[in-house]
Amino acid sequence: MSEPLEAWGGIECTVNRVGSDYFSQLDGRAYASTPDDLDRLASTGIRALRFPVLWERVAPLAPDQRKWDWSDSRLARVRALEMRPIVGLLHHGSGPRYTSLVDPAFATQLARYACAVAQRYPWVEDYTPVNEPLTTARFSGLYGLWYPHGRDEVTFGKAMFNQCQGIVLAMRAIREINPRARLVQTEDLGTTFATDRLQYQADFHNHLRWLSWDLLCGRVGPQHPLHGWLVDVCHVPADAIGWFRHNPCPPDLIGINHYATSDRFLDEELARYPVAHHGGNGIDRYADVEAARAMGEPIGKIAPLIDETWKRYRIPVAITEAHIDAAREDQMRWLLGVWRGAEQARAAGADVRAVTAWGMLGSYDWNCLLTQKHGYYEVGAFDVSAGTPRPTAVATLIRQLADGTAIDHPVLSGSGWWKRPQRFLRDPHPSRVTIRAEASPTSAARSAPILIVGANGTLGRAFARLCQERDLDHRLLPRAGMDIADSDSVSRALDLHRPWTVVNAAGYVRVDDAEADAERCFRENTLGPSVLAKLCARHAIPMVTFSSDLVFDGTQDVPYLESDPVSPISVYGRSKARSEAAVLETHSGALVIRTSAFFGPWDEYNFVSLALRALRAGSRFTAAEDMVISPTYVPDLVDACLDLLIDGETGIWHLTNGEAVSWAELARRAAHVAGVDIAGLKACDRQRLALPAARPRYSVLGSERMFAMPSLDSALLRFSAASTGTSGQGRQRDRC
């Protein structure tokens, strides 16, 4: 093909209904508030933008009562920025309250709304009237997750056929106004694999995945493998199926939405998988899991899936959603892998037009399939947790893909979680079906590691552990490998290892001992980071170093922000305050992380571990009730720091698990989660502890920059699970 592969973008915009409540990705979110955000999206070089003009938002109360202000201003800006809008009318929705997916008038009402949109925006040419009709019908008609909460094939059939008829009638109405209008029809597409016993069920799923496109293309007749099931089980009238053969509306472009959860594996060995994955078909009971978490080899490339789609329909194809909820490097690895797969399919002859970076401004609560409002935020190409979209490394990658420039970030040389051994829910069975593994998306040599200083400390070991989990090449150095206060030692280490970034996890941590050991404290906490920053700046190497809430005096009653002036009241606090100033003055590429009261599963001597050990033993444990801090879970801290380093962030950032508690309350909360009796816990005031070093009364860290850290409750639950060996440490990292 002569035209290069295009980069497109999309805004996660689902408006789904659960009971009587609507869950909207756009309402109340920071990125719904200003058209200027579109300029940021355009800066990545995307040529087209999947954009919502959703029925539930424009006409929520009555068909003829429409509110266009939001879409008017934003579509005008999209047009001015020369991005082609692909307008979506229904995105995993069931329509406003005056209709539903099982309403016989659903399709005609959707067509009426589509006509109004086309009249309002006659210049728009690309439309997706209904996003992923098959997925929506499954979630709403078979699984009972979304309205109307059906759990049977009949409800599924009504929802499926109403949506597809709505697409046909909507495009007919749109084309009466704009004959050039094109249908971009999307669907979540993957492949189902199975054991030999369940291959018949996998075959059924692999026929079902094409149903929406087959209907629109008029392909579902008596010889179609699903025709009998649709008529006999779903009770779809034969004339309703025949209607599509007489009213075909083939897509002008087929949009493949592809996630790590799209490929599935069916296994009758239920005991191998969590109960949440158990199900059945009335004949066999089986587990239905992501193929990546069960297959004996990693999931395959997307290129064969694109090729299969192209050969089936001979209609141009685009990847219309590519996203993963994961650590930053895995988000990049997934997007790059999909892009490379699209290029491979093009080289083999498929007409592939674009790859769409989905959820560019992030999304909320997909980890529970939008059935509850937890506020769980997945970062996209931009992080909107602070209100103003902040570009991440994914945004940079999109720009490079769009421009055709070299892709060379060192983290891309590793493997994504869907290829690593720890991905499995259970050990893979040797007889399980396997497919060929996909190579790493880039062939970049792993020659630029992350250099971690502080091999003997809790933080340094945590960085090494999580770098290994995330397949980030790294070197963990003891003082003998790099003494950060010695220029020659630092220079030798940098020349030897040639890192792309340096993590300074070394330092003096004994706050009370520092009062009598000031010289050593300042050497480790101030001189060392200053020397390291100077030499990293000379070599243009980004670095991160750590500071503390103890740089503040605790006289205010609201959380301290990054821009608040420091005023330490202890030797330790002064050493950290001076370190911050020296590092930032010396190195413009330095990242300074202030954190507080961290605890983790790999350290027996943090406050939470000591409290639980004492209380479990029936011993007395004393903690201050009048010292308020913001605790930080070490795995979350390290994950966040690595993401920020990959994003290329600099300056001071506050990272905690976002809640103000006293030391005594932290002990109570941890004991409650762990099921430990708190009879031995004695709360007191800080004077009674008679600590050698002065402590702030209130040293809670807030943030004006923000980073999407998990909650303290989540951290304590994971800490407890790790301590008892009941689960791992990973974040929720996929769509489902």
Side-chain angles (χ1 to χ4, degrees):
M1 295 180 62
S2 57
E3 295 295 322
L5 192 65
E6 289 187 344
W8 293 355
I11 301 170
E12 171 54 39
C13 56
T14 297
V15 177
N16 66 301
R17 185 176 174 184
V18 178
S20 60
D21 295 327
Y22 279 87
F23 289 9
S24 173
Q25 293 282 316
L26 296 176
D27 289 341
R29 305 307 189 195
Y31 58 78
S33 62
T34 169
D36 293 342
D37 295 348
L38 297 166
D39 293 66
R40 296 180 173 88
L41 301 186
S43 71
T44 64
I46 59 174
R47 299 288 300 278
L49 179 67
R50 292 188 62 193
F51 187 84
V53 185
L54 300 184
W55 191 8
E56 297 95 337
R57 287 172 53 82
V58 174
L61 302 178
D64 295 323
Q65 296 178 22
R66 304 182 185 110
K67 300 181 295 184
W68 299 105
D69 291 352
W70 191 89
S71 53
D72 279 354
S73 60
R74 286 152 182 79
L75 273 177
R77 190 63 189 152
V78 169
R79 191 179 191 184
L81 291 166
E82 299 184 343
M83 291 187 290
R84 300 191 309 275
I86 303 170
V87 168
L89 307 182
L90 201 69
H91 198 98
H92 289 315
S94 57
R97 294 187 188 277
Y98 47 83
T99 188
S100 79
L101 295 178
V102 294
D103 176 7
F106 174 87
T108 55
Q109 290 194 68
L110 176 61
R112 182 179 176 184
Y113 173 66
C115 179
V117 173
Q119 289 173 335
R120 188 81 178 183
Y121 310 112
W123 55 274
V124 171
E125 296 189 349
D126 294 330
Y127 286 87
T128 302
V130 179
N131 173 68
E132 293 188 8
L134 176 62
T135 300
T136 304
R138 285 166 44 222
F139 285 13
S140 302
L142 277 180
Y143 306 156
L145 296 173
W146 301 339
Y147 192 83
H149 304 291
R151 294 181 180 273
D152 58 90
E153 288 85 353
V154 174
T155 307
F156 165 82
K158 290 179 180 178
M160 184 69 190
F161 275 72
N162 275 347
Q163 289 179 96
C164 288
Q165 187 180 47
I167 293 167
V168 175
L169 297 183
M171 288 307 300
R172 184 179 297 171
I174 291 168
R175 284 168 173 158
E176 287 179 359
I177 297 163
N178 183 354
R180 299 183 306 278
R182 294 183 294 266
L183 171 60
V184 178
Q185 188 52 56
T186 59
E187 196 63 82
D188 189 323
L189 185 65
T191 303
T192 300
F193 304 91
T195 60
D196 290 342
R197 175 175 169 178
L198 293 168
Q199 188 57 49
Y200 74 94
Q201 186 64 34
D203 291 342
F204 172 80
H205 287 305
N206 289 328
H207 290 308
L208 185 63
R209 61 183 171 157
W210 306 112
L211 182 57
S212 59
W213 293 316
D214 279 358
L215 284 170
L216 294 172
C217 291
R219 290 184 168 208
V220 183
Q223 305 306 314
H224 192 279
L226 296 180
H227 188 274
W229 176 76
L230 291 170
V231 173
D232 298 336
V233 179
C234 299
H235 295 177
V236 178
D239 59 351
I241 300 174
W243 184 89
F244 288 93
R245 296 201 308 276
H246 298 297
N247 295 274
C249 183
D252 297 282
L253 184 140
I254 285 178
I256 296 174
N257 299 345
H258 191 67
Y259 291 85
T261 54
S262 296
D263 290 334
R264 311 298 298 181
F265 184 81
L266 309 181
D267 191 341
E268 68 273 14
E269 297 182 46
L270 293 174
R272 302 180 66 84
Y273 307 97
V275 174
H277 294 280
H278 294 186
N281 58 10
I283 301 172
D284 284 304
R285 292 281 295 167
Y286 52 82
D288 180 343
V289 299
E290 302 100 316
R293 297 201 181 279
M295 302 284 282
E297 294 184 17
I299 58 174
K301 295 180 179 181
I302 194 175
L305 191 64
I306 297 173
D307 185 64
E308 189 179 5
T309 306
W310 164 248
K311 289 178 178 176
R312 185 181 181 93
Y313 297 107
R314 294 292 173 176
I315 293 173
V317 177
I319 305 300
T320 41
E321 290 183 21
H323 169 73
I324 193 168
D325 178 20
R328 191 74 73 245
E329 70 282 350
D330 276 357
Q331 290 185 308
M332 299 167 68
R333 292 163 181 168
W334 183 262
L335 178 60
L336 182 57
V338 171
W339 185 278
R340 296 292 187 239
E343 289 182 324
Q344 182 181 344
R346 279 166 61 96
D351 185 355
V352 188
R353 303 293 177 86
V355 172
T356 308
W358 186 245
M360 290 186 72
L361 297 168
S363 61
Y364 289 85
D365 292 326
W366 265 105
N367 64 331
C368 65
L369 297 177
L370 309 184
T371 57
Q372 299 179 61
K373 294 182 180 179
H374 293 306
Y376 176 83
Y377 177 62
E378 300 178 30
V379 176
F382 294 82
D383 180 352
V384 304
S385 57
T388 301
R390 177 185 68 85
T392 71
V394 177
T396 302
L397 176 60
I398 296 168
R399 175 86 253 180
Q400 292 171 328
L401 293 172
D403 291 345
T405 55
I407 310 296
D408 59 0
H409 200 297
V411 302
L412 289 170
S413 62
S415 296
W417 71 255
W418 54 96
K419 303 176 188 176
R420 302 197 292 266
Q422 62 265 39
R423 71 187 185 273
F424 297 117
L425 292 171
R426 295 289 188 273
D427 292 338
H429 194 283
S431 65
R432 188 154 299 142
V433 177
T434 61
I435 54 178
R436 184 176 301 278
E438 180 181 357
S440 295
T442 178
S443 58
R446 302 189 68 166
S447 58
I450 298 172
L451 196 60
I452 306 165
V453 187
N456 297 322
T458 297
L459 197 54
R461 293 194 300 269
F463 266 97
R465 178 187 288 261
L466 287 172
C467 281
Q468 183 173 1
E469 282 189 16
R470 292 170 59 161
D471 200 20
L472 295 169
D473 196 16
H474 63 282
R475 306 288 185 273
L476 177 61
L477 300 184
R479 174 172 292 190
M482 182 195 283
D483 179 354
I484 61 172
D486 182 332
S487 296
D488 291 338
S489 176
V490 173
S491 293
R492 286 193 300 270
L494 295 180
D495 289 341
L496 175 64
H497 298 288
R498 298 187 179 278
W500 72 266
T501 191
V502 175
V503 174
N504 176 31
Y508 193 101
V509 298
R510 299 186 299 279
V511 176
D512 290 316
D513 291 349
E515 296 298 308
D517 194 13
E519 182 177 355
R520 184 178 176 189
C521 178
F522 274 92
R523 182 187 190 277
E524 302 297 325
N525 287 354
T526 306
L527 175 62
S530 177
V531 170
L532 181 61
K534 180 179 180 180
L535 290 168
C536 283
R538 182 179 300 171
H539 292 274
I541 299 171
M543 65 168 282
V544 60
T545 192
F546 292 86
S547 188
S548 166
D549 59 333
L550 298 183
V551 299
F552 298 111
D553 60 15
T555 57
Q556 67 183 41
D557 294 314
V558 295
Y560 287 91
L561 304 178
E562 288 89 349
S563 59
D564 286 334
V566 300
S567 182
I569 57 176
S570 67
V571 169
Y572 178 86
R574 288 193 290 274
S575 74
K576 288 295 187 180
R578 292 182 189 176
S579 172
E580 292 178 3
V583 167
L584 294 174
E585 182 179 355
T586 302
H587 191 358
S588 61
L591 178 63
V592 176
I593 303 297
R594 289 188 188 134
T595 188
S596 171
F598 61 68
F599 65 99
W602 311 307
D603 168 22
E604 297 181 2
Y605 301 104
N606 65 76
F607 174 85
V608 174
S609 294
L610 292 172
L612 292 180
R613 186 157 61 245
L615 295 174
R616 282 194 181 102
S619 302
R620 180 187 179 98
F621 188 83
T622 303
E625 192 75 273
D626 62 346
M627 291 169 57
V628 182
I629 40 87
S630 44
T632 309
Y633 188 48
V634 169
D636 293 342
L637 173 67
V638 173
D639 272 333
C641 289
L642 289 171
D643 284 355
L644 288 173
L645 279 170
I646 294 168
D647 288 344
E649 290 294 348
T650 62
I652 296 175
W653 286 71
H654 288 180
L655 295 180
T656 75
N657 287 96
E659 189 167 343
V661 296
S662 69
W663 288 104
E665 177 62 17
L666 177 59
R668 281 192 290 268
R669 295 266 291 272
H672 174 74
V673 170
V676 175
D677 194 318
I678 62 170
L681 178 61
K682 304 301 178 185
C684 67
D685 57 46
R686 64 188 185 279
Q687 280 76 21
R688 186 172 177 183
L689 294 175
L691 298 170
R695 301 295 205 281
R697 173 190 58 82
Y698 182 96
S699 59
V700 175
L701 297 178
S703 180
E704 57 207 352
R705 306 189 75 170
M706 298 292 291
F707 190 88
M709 294 272 283
S711 68
L712 179 58
D713 285 341
S714 168
L716 289 171
L717 282 169
R718 286 176 287 127
F719 173 82
S720 179
S723 300
T724 56
T726 57
S727 74
Q729 293 303 310
R731 297 184 291 197
Q732 173 70 33
R733 295 199 195 276
D734 16 67
R735 180 177 180 179
C736 297

